[in-house]
Amino acid sequence: MPSVEEGPWRSRFGAKELALRTVVVTGAASGIGLATKELLESRGDRVIGVDIHDSDVVVDLTTDAGRRDLVDRVRELSGGTIDAVAAIAGLINSGAPDIAVNYFGALATLEGLRPLLAGSSAPRAVVTSSMASLLPHDDELVDLCLANDERAALDRARTLVETGLGKQIYATSKVALSRWVRRTAPTYDWAGAGIPLNAIAPGIVLTPMTAHMIDTPEKRERLTAQVPMPLVGFMEASAPAALLAWLMSEENTHMCGQVIFIDGGSDVSIRGDSTW
Ligand SMILES: NC(=O)c1ccc[n+]([C@@H]2O[C@H](COP(=O)([O-])OP(=O)(O)OC[C@H]3O[C@@H](n4cnc5c(N)ncnc54)[C@H](O)[C@@H]3O)[C@@H](O)[C@H]2O)c1
C-alpha cells in the first residue's frame, strides 16, 4: 500500500497540491471504508486512510492515545486542512468495544478533525450508522453515550453482556450515533461553520463484518428475516461507498443531520407509516 506521500494523487497530478480534495476515511482497511477509499481515489481525491491495521494512519480508536494520534497524524499528513471526513470504522458483537469504536471513536474522529475542515471551501462530514438502529437497544446505554460518559457507558455495556443482552450493544451504538448526528448537525460548530454533517444507515453489506453471519443457509435465512431487504437483497460495499462519496462531495450543499437509509427497504418494511 502506498504511503500518503507516494499515493496515487501524486502519480496522477504530479504534485499533491493539485489533488481534487483531501479526504479522511476511517475503517479504510476493509469493507465499506476500503470501497469508499478506492472510489474516491479513482476520482482523483487524496485519501488519508485510518485503521487499526494496513492504513496510512494506524491507530486504535478505542483508546485516548489512538484518538489523539489520529488527529496529530492527519494534521501532519494533510498539512492542516482536510475537505471531508468519513467515520466508518466499526465493530459488531465484540461487547463494550462496540461502543468504544462505533460511538466514542466516531465522535472523537469527527470532533477531533473538525478544526481541520475549517480551511476547506466545501467541508463535509459523514458517519456510518446502520439499519440496526431500528432493532432492540438499551435506552440507558444510549443516554450514557449522549451524556458523553464513556466510562459509565462501557460499564453498562459490560453489564449487558453479563446479563445476556450483549447483542443489543451494536444496535445501541448506532441509535446513539444517529441521535447525536441529528442533535449536532444544526449547531453553531457544524451547520454554523458551513459543514454538512450526516449519517448513512446501511442494510446488510457484504463485508468481512457480515461474512460470518451468512456463512450457512440457516444463518442467511435468519438474517434475512431480521433485516428484510425486498429491493435486490444484500449489497456490495460499493453501494454505500457511492452514497458516502456524494455526501462528502461539493454537490452536497444542504443536507443537514439526516440519517439516510440505504437498506434495500428494511426501514420501510420495519417502520412502515410510523415515521410520517
Ligand atoms: N457490513 C454491514 O452490513 C454494515 C451495515 C450497516 C452499518 N455498517 C457499518 O459500516 C461500518 C463499516 O463496516 P464494514 O462492514 O465495512 O466492516 P469491516 O469489518 O469490513 O470494516 C471495519 C473496519 O473498522 C476497523 N476498526 C475496527 N476497530 C477499530 C479500532 N479500534 N480502531 C481503528 N479501526 C478499527 C477494522 O479494522 C476494519 O478495517 C461500521 O461502522 C459498521 O457498523 C456495516
Side-chain angles (χ1 to χ4, degrees), residues 26-35 50-55 57-63 66 87-92 94 97 100-102 105-106 127-132 170 173-174 177 200-211 213 223 229 234-235 237 240 244 262:
T26 75
S30 175
I32 299 171
L34 179 60
V50 179
D51 208 296
I52 199 164
H53 60 92
D54 297 314
S55 241
V57 176
V58 174
V59 291
D60 179 354
L61 289 170
T62 64
T63 67
I88 302 176
L91 286 174
I92 193 166
S94 69
V101 180
N102 301 2
V127 61
T128 47
S129 181
S130 172
M131 70 65 60
Y170 178 79
S173 73
K174 300 300 187 178
L177 195 56
I200 69 163
I204 302 302
V205 187
L206 300 168
T207 69
M209 180 178 275
T210 52
M213 301 177 195
L223 191 61
M229 295 176 65
F234 302 159
M235 71 191 98
L244 288 162
I262 174 164

